[in-house]
């Protein structure tokens, strides 16, 4: 299945003379609008076709979008094709540092490295890797009253947002049917399970339940990995739920291993 870059090409032709800081708020970048909700175009179209793991957030934020625009503009100025410029833009949004380290540790702990026949999933997440694809349940930036959308209102109960899930995210699901899908939180997980319910994605490939790998979530990550005893966790951390998720994911990966034999 080839990816259609018609939408991207039409919008990228408009960015040359517009200051980067003004692009997201420019009416020419608006894809859809409903009341205080607004969807803006930003160059997050590229799909890593060789991806073995897909990391799914809620939606790109303003900072990510600005970085992607800057990378795209530089690539186009060098004479890159639209697909190559989009690939560079996507790399500009890849995360690193503690997020990557925490995510690698959790994936290794539940058996993903063994499933993918690598010594550690750090090999998959190396800079510039084509084996990991970063995306969002809502591919393009969504703003609520001018601020980054954080999952409210419910994307699946909001027509213009559900359409994005059923159009753009569904396109990526169709392109990467054999990948493992890793939602970062309950809202991206709900979007993936919505598509699984439509028969577009094997629910066994959705690795739901991992705590978000951000540094702010350090205690939950530590409990999940067994680095902190559950009885020592603060009351804000549901240790039992995390341990249940760990056991469930270990079993899920083992089942995938068995199915592949």
């Amino acid at each position: 299945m080839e990816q259609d870059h018609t939408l991207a090409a039409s919008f990228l032709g408009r960015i040359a003379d517009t200051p980067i800081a003004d692009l997201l708020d420019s009416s020419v970048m608006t894809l859809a609008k409903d009341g205080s909700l607004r969807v803006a175009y930003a160059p997050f179209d590229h799909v890593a076709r060789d991806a073995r793991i897909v990391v799914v957030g809620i939606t790109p934020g303003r900072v990510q979008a600005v970085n992607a625009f800057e990378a795209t503009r530089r690539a186009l100025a060098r004479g890159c094709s639209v697909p190559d410029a989009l690939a560079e833009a996507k790399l500009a949004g890849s995360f690193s540092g503690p997020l990557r380290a925490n995510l690698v540790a959790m994936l290794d702990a539940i058996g993903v490295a063994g499933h993918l026949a690598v010594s550690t999933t750090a090999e998959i997440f190396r800079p510039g890797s084509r084996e990991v694809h970063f995306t969002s349940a809502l591919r393009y930036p969504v703003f609520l009253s001018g601020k980054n959308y954080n999952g409210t209102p419910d994307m699946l109960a909001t027509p213009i947002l559900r359409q994005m899930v059923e159009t753009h995210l569904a396109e990526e699901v169709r392109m990467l049917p054999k990948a493992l899908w890793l939602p970062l939180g309950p809202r991206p997980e709900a979007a993936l399970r919505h598509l699984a319910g439509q028969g577009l994605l094997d629910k066994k490939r959705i690795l739901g339940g991992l705590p978000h790998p951000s540094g702010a979530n350090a205690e939950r990550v530590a409990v999940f990995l067994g680095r902190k005893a559950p009885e020592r966790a603060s009351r804000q951390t549901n240790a039992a739920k995390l341990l249940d998720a760990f056991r469930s994911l270990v079993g899920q990966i083992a089942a995938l291993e068995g199915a592949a034999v």
Side-chain angles (χ1 to χ4, degrees):
M1 177 182 177
E2 292 299 321
Q3 190 174 8
D4 185 357
H5 288 128
T6 304
L7 177 67
S10 67
F11 275 95
L12 292 179
R14 309 174 191 179
I15 74 171
D17 301 318
T18 306
I20 292 289
D22 298 335
L23 278 174
L24 289 176
D25 299 315
S26 169
S27 61
V28 299
M29 289 293 162
T30 298
L31 283 170
K33 192 171 182 181
D34 182 10
S36 56
L37 273 174
R38 176 174 170 268
V39 182
Y41 177 79
F44 290 102
D45 308 78
H46 175 72
V47 178
R49 297 298 300 272
D50 297 324
R52 305 170 77 189
I53 295 176
V54 184
V55 182
V56 189
I58 295 178
T59 190
R62 185 176 292 272
V63 171
Q64 285 176 289
V66 167
N67 290 342
F69 271 123
E70 289 176 342
T72 303
R73 182 175 282 181
R74 289 194 299 268
L76 292 174
R78 296 198 314 271
C80 290
S81 66
V82 168
D84 287 346
L86 292 172
E88 289 198 21
K90 204 60 172 286
L91 285 175
S94 300
F95 64 80
S96 58
L99 273 80
R100 180 179 294 164
N102 285 340
L103 187 53
V104 163
M106 290 189 289
L107 291 175
D108 285 355
I110 63 174
V112 172
H115 176 68
L116 298 179
V118 293
S119 60
T120 169
T121 50
E123 296 178 30
I124 303 294
F125 284 86
R126 66 191 182 280
S129 171
R130 296 183 179 182
E131 295 180 289
V132 60
H133 175 54
F134 297 95
T135 191
S136 302
L138 304 172
R139 178 187 289 177
Y140 303 111
V142 177
F143 302 103
L144 180 65
S145 299
K147 298 181 179 179
N148 290 338
Y149 169 79
N150 63 5
T152 303
D154 184 341
M155 66 178 74
L156 295 177
T158 306
I160 66 169
L161 302 184
R162 187 177 65 248
Q163 183 181 23
M164 291 177 70
V165 171
E166 295 177 345
T167 302
H168 307 303
L169 185 60
E171 176 191 30
E172 297 179 38
V173 162
R174 291 188 182 98
M175 294 175 74
L176 299 169
K178 301 298 184 181
L180 295 175
W181 290 75
L182 177 60
L184 297 182
R187 292 172 179 84
E189 182 176 348
L192 289 174
R193 294 200 181 281
H194 176 69
L195 296 180
Q198 295 183 334
L200 300 179
L201 175 62
D202 182 354
K203 64 181 180 181
K204 296 175 183 176
R205 294 191 167 275
I206 302 172
L207 303 183
L210 271 77
H212 195 286
S214 70
N217 228 10
E219 183 178 70
R220 292 182 176 86
V221 172
V223 171
F224 183 87
L225 291 172
R227 295 173 178 171
K228 185 169 189 175
E231 61 271 16
R232 293 182 55 229
S234 65
R235 64 179 60 185
Q236 288 78 26
T237 295
N238 189 334
K241 183 177 180 181
L242 289 167
L243 295 177
D244 284 346
F246 179 86
R247 287 188 290 267
S248 176
L249 285 162
V250 168
Q252 185 176 340
I253 295 299
L256 284 173
E257 281 287 286
V261 174

